[in-house]
Amino acid sequence: MEHTGQNSPLGNHTTLVEFILIGFSDVPKLQGLLFGVFLIIYVFILTGNSLIITITKVDPSLKTPMYFFLGNLSFLEICYVSVTLPRVLADLCRQNRKISILACAVQMYFFLILSATECFILTAMAYDRYVAICNPLLYPVIMNSRLCIQLAAVCWTTSIIIHIVSTCVIFSSPFCERNKMNHFFCDVPPIVQLVCGDTSGIELMTYIIAALVVTIPFLLILASYVKIISTILKLPSATGRAKAFSTCSSHVMVVTLFFGSGIVVYLRPKSTHSSGMDKYFLFFYTILTPLFNPIIYCLKNKDVMVALGKFLQKWIVLGLITSKNSSHS
């Protein structure tokens, strides 16, 4: 570990230039198995979400605000896992698990941006469903393409601005000599544990940001669905109620998965926390929504199923024609 000695009012500490990610090295006999499992998961996430993005772009029947946001969400999921999983796969293949402070800061920054943006995109999707069900006659006017693009832009830019500040504050703090993190990527809690001196200011900032990017979006989603359910229950026909519920079911499942797993990971009682188990909880939290997002939308959404079927059929036919022409030439 390279460092330079330095004194400060907080006491003696060292200026670290790198951290060591312990990752899954505590289970050496399972390195090969974990690599295979994680690689399959990563390929499935990339493939599934790429298919969702493709069909929302090419299928005319999916040129609606709901599927515009779904395409954004799938792109977000690909970026989200690509911040952590490639590093995990690389670390499973090597002994040297060092990461520079700069690389660690960049990884944490992008992870925070993508997590916050997912909260905001899910909120925008809830607003879309609210307008569609509670104001159906005004839906085409309110949810026009300009508003959709503006909402998506606000989701991304807000996250980028908020987390520039938090990342700078955390990584401008002095770190102690301990540089080992019992984690597989740079996340806020394990990094804050390595900060020397009083971390109450950082923890307060973290809680405030969490309220802005998690609690407020969750409450807005909850309020949207209270109004949506109230409107649906007033519909005269059972068929109409079933159809209205079906347009929301996929989004509700993704929201439940994302926020539910987040609550289990971050809001468990401290008495149940251990650094060894936390990383496994967090690993499944980071892959659950990206993994199940395409599955949920393909199985629960009829329009996506039909569009996917047409897309795959087109490529299969194209492949057969290409192979037939190749065999004749």
Side-chain angles (χ1 to χ4, degrees):
M1 174 185 70
E2 298 175 23
H3 61 269
T4 58
Q6 186 177 345
N7 293 322
S8 83
L10 294 172
N12 293 329
H13 66 270
T14 58
T15 303
L16 298 177
V17 297
E18 62 189 18
F19 294 121
I20 297 173
L21 293 167
I22 294 175
F24 299 102
S25 60
D26 52 349
V27 283
K29 294 182 179 178
L30 297 178
Q31 301 291 289
L33 176 63
L34 290 175
F35 179 86
V37 171
F38 295 167
L39 180 62
I40 291 169
I41 288 172
Y42 187 45
V43 170
F44 183 85
I45 288 171
L46 293 182
T47 305
N49 284 287
S50 295
L51 276 173
I52 294 288
I53 293 169
T54 303
I55 61 174
T56 56
K57 291 290 183 185
V58 302
D59 196 291
S61 67
L62 301 185
K63 298 289 184 182
T64 64
M66 181 169 72
Y67 298 112
F68 168 79
F69 289 117
L70 177 58
N72 266 266
L73 182 64
S74 293
F75 173 72
L76 186 65
E77 305 289 27
I78 290 173
C79 297
Y80 188 66
V81 293
S82 295
V83 168
T84 55
L85 264 180
R87 171 86 200 193
V88 173
L89 292 170
D91 284 347
L92 286 168
C93 297
R94 62 189 177 191
Q95 295 299 315
N96 183 3
R97 292 181 170 88
K98 293 178 181 178
I99 182 170
S100 70
I101 284 199
L102 178 59
C104 190
V106 169
Q107 185 185 50
M108 189 189 84
Y109 176 58
F110 279 103
F111 179 77
L112 292 176
I113 286 175
L114 295 164
S115 299
T117 306
E118 181 147 358
C119 292
F120 295 146
I121 290 287
L122 288 172
T123 308
M125 293 174 80
Y127 177 69
D128 171 72
R129 292 298 83 208
Y130 163 77
V131 176
I133 291 171
C134 300
N135 295 287
L137 297 178
L138 293 175
Y139 180 72
V141 177
I142 296 173
M143 295 304 296
N144 55 63
S145 58
R146 183 180 176 185
L147 179 65
C148 292
I149 293 168
Q150 288 174 341
L151 284 173
V154 168
C155 291
W156 283 93
T157 52
T158 304
S159 304
I160 289 168
I161 293 167
I162 288 173
H163 289 299
I164 283 176
V165 177
S166 62
T167 305
C168 288
V169 168
I170 291 171
F171 279 90
S172 62
S173 304
F175 292 99
C176 300
E177 290 190 15
R178 295 174 295 117
N179 71 332
K180 290 186 177 181
M181 281 191 285
N182 193 10
H183 244 275
F184 61 93
F185 79 102
C186 295
D187 193 19
V188 174
I191 291 172
V192 172
Q193 287 176 4
L194 301 180
V195 173
C196 279
D198 184 17
T199 59
S200 58
I202 294 175
E203 288 170 3
L204 177 61
M205 176 194 69
T206 303
Y207 285 127
I208 291 170
I209 291 174
L212 289 172
V213 304
V214 180
T215 308
I216 292 174
F218 179 72
L219 291 175
L220 288 172
I221 292 170
L222 198 60
S224 297
Y225 274 103
V226 167
K227 185 65 177 173
I228 286 168
I229 292 168
S230 173
T231 303
I232 290 174
L233 293 176
K234 292 176 184 175
L235 294 176
S237 70
T239 306
R241 289 194 294 270
K243 187 177 179 180
F245 273 122
S246 70
T247 64
C248 302
S249 60
S250 302
H251 180 251
V252 169
M253 290 178 73
V254 172
V255 167
T256 304
L257 191 64
F258 181 74
F259 285 99
S261 56
I263 289 168
V264 170
V265 171
Y266 289 107
L267 298 181
R268 298 192 334 273
K270 288 193 175 182
S271 58
T272 66
H273 282 234
S274 74
S275 59
M277 286 305 297
D278 280 355
K279 67 184 175 187
Y280 289 100
F281 275 113
L282 188 58
F283 178 78
F284 286 108
Y285 168 64
T286 57
I287 67 164
L288 273 180
T289 311
L291 182 64
F292 285 103
N293 177 50
I295 297 173
I296 289 170
Y297 272 95
C298 286
L299 294 180
K300 297 292 291 181
N301 191 295
K302 185 180 177 181
D303 293 337
V304 173
M305 276 289 287
V306 171
L308 183 61
K310 288 192 294 184
F311 177 78
L312 293 176
Q313 186 179 30
K314 178 182 174 181
W315 278 99
I316 290 169
V317 170
L318 188 63
L320 290 172
I321 293 171
T322 304
S323 62
K324 187 176 180 180
N325 291 337
S326 300
S327 62
H328 283 306
S329 58

